């Protein structure tokens, strides 16, 4: 029976894959994945047999790849989609294929798994009962500030993905727009060089603004609540554990690259 299967994969540590995902990956007729080379590393690590058809599906070729996937569904095949890390369609290509498959009447199944949002929230020590995932902020200062202003008066904890090259500018803009709130910068989650930096936005801006950051970054910022504002809140256990700074990885592994 034709079916599209959306499969979450590890965000770094290859052991963070579910038994169900391993089984389902081995049963597919075809697989659309962000980078076939990285996906094959996952298959080799867990002894998964590759489907007879495996092809690249990323933002640059999404229209063509989605059409190919839908064509395979039309042949009655079970087609999977995965990204290099986490869920396809969440800050990665995939949404358009899921939407089109549903529009054309094909069933869609989601295989849950790893993601960066929940670990970052828990590491931050900030409220988790209500949060907003904002994805990647705009690259340009003006749109980025307007993007942040949408959340200025709301109480929800904010979670962002960001390029390591733009973390300092995001922290500076967030300080200007949101005020000096508590926040956390989570680097290389689940990987060997995982680090968590906690503090106010001003402290994190000063701490991270003058040094290169390597790897994947998730930023968590407190919502609009007096408890999480101002220098008076900087002391105490919240500031602990920035991680082993002397053990920075020698090279930038790039977006979503798995560690073995």
């Amino acid at each position: 029976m034709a079916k599209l299967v959306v499969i979450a994969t590890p965000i770094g540590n290859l052991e963070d894959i579910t038994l169900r995902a391993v089984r389902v990956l081995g049963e597919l007729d075809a697989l659309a994945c962000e980078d076939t080379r990285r996906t094959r590393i996952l298959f080799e690590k867990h002894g998964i047999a590759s489907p007879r058809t495996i092809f690249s599906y990323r933002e640059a070729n999404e229209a063509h790849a989605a059409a190919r996937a839908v064509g395979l569904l039309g042949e009655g095949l079970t087609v999977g989609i995965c990204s290099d890390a986490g869920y396809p369609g969440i800050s990665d290509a995939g949404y358009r294929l899921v939407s089109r498959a549903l529009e054309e009447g094909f069933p869609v199944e989601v295989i849950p798994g790893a993601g960066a949002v929940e670990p970052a929230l828990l590491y931050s020590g900030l409220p988790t009962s209500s949060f907003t995932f904002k994805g990647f902020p705009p690259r340009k200062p003006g749109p980025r500030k307007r993007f942040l202003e949408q959340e200025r008066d709301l109480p929800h904890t904010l979670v962002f993905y960001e390029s390591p090259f733009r973390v300092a500018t995001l922290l500076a803009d967030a300080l200007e727009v949101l005020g000096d709130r508590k926040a956390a910068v989570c680097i290389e989650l689940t990987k060997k060089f995982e680090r968590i930096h906690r503090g106010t936005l001003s402290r994190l801006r000063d701490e991270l603004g003058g040094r290169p950051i390597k790897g994947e970054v998730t930023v968590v910022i407190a919502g609009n609540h007096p408890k999480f504002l101002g220098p008076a809140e900087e002391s105490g256990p919240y500031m602990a554990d920035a991680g082993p700074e002397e053990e920075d990885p020698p090279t930038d592994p790039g977006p979503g690259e798995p560690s073995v």
Side-chain angles (χ1 to χ4, degrees), residues 23-123:
R23 174 182 60 79
V24 169
L25 284 167
E27 295 173 349
L28 297 173
D29 298 310
L31 176 63
C33 52
E34 185 176 357
D35 187 325
T36 58
R37 295 166 299 179
R38 292 182 181 177
T39 301
R40 290 187 193 281
I41 293 174
L42 181 67
F43 276 59
E44 292 170 2
K45 172 71 174 178
H46 294 285
I48 304 169
S50 294
R52 66 173 182 263
T53 301
I54 183 169
F55 58 97
S56 174
Y57 186 109
R58 58 190 188 279
E59 288 187 2
N61 73 343
E62 188 166 16
H64 174 76
R68 181 177 182 184
V70 171
L72 293 169
L73 290 169
E75 296 175 15
L77 302 180
T78 299
V79 180
I81 179 172
C82 68
S83 65
D84 289 344
Y87 286 85
I90 306 297
S91 294
D92 270 319
Y95 154 74
R96 288 179 176 82
L97 174 56
V98 173
S99 179
R100 184 170 172 184
L102 291 171
E103 288 175 357
E104 300 200 15
F106 296 110
V108 174
E109 180 179 7
V110 178
I111 310 300
V117 173
E118 293 88 349
L121 272 168
L122 293 169
Y123 269 130

Side-chain angles (χ1 to χ4, degrees), residues 127-191:
T128 59
S129 58
S130 178
F131 65 90
T132 301
F133 172 59
K134 297 288 288 181
F136 283 94
R139 296 187 178 192
K140 295 183 178 180
R144 183 167 56 241
K145 289 179 183 180
R146 291 192 292 272
F147 181 78
L148 293 167
E149 285 170 356
Q150 296 172 359
E151 310 296 331
R152 180 169 50 197
D153 300 324
L154 300 178
H156 317 295
T157 301
L158 305 174
V159 185
F160 306 84
Y161 291 160
E162 186 54 292
S163 160
F165 306 108
R166 293 192 295 273
V167 171
T169 55
L170 172 62
L171 295 173
D173 286 348
L175 175 61
E176 177 182 337
V177 173
L178 304 175
D180 202 10
R181 303 181 183 185
K182 285 186 175 180
V185 177
C186 305
I187 303 170
E188 292 287 81
L189 286 173
T190 80
K191 299 182 183 180

Side-chain angles (χ1 to χ4, degrees), residues 237-249:
Y238 186 78
M239 295 306 305
D241 187 21
E245 298 180 7
E246 69 280 6
E247 296 186 6
D248 283 349

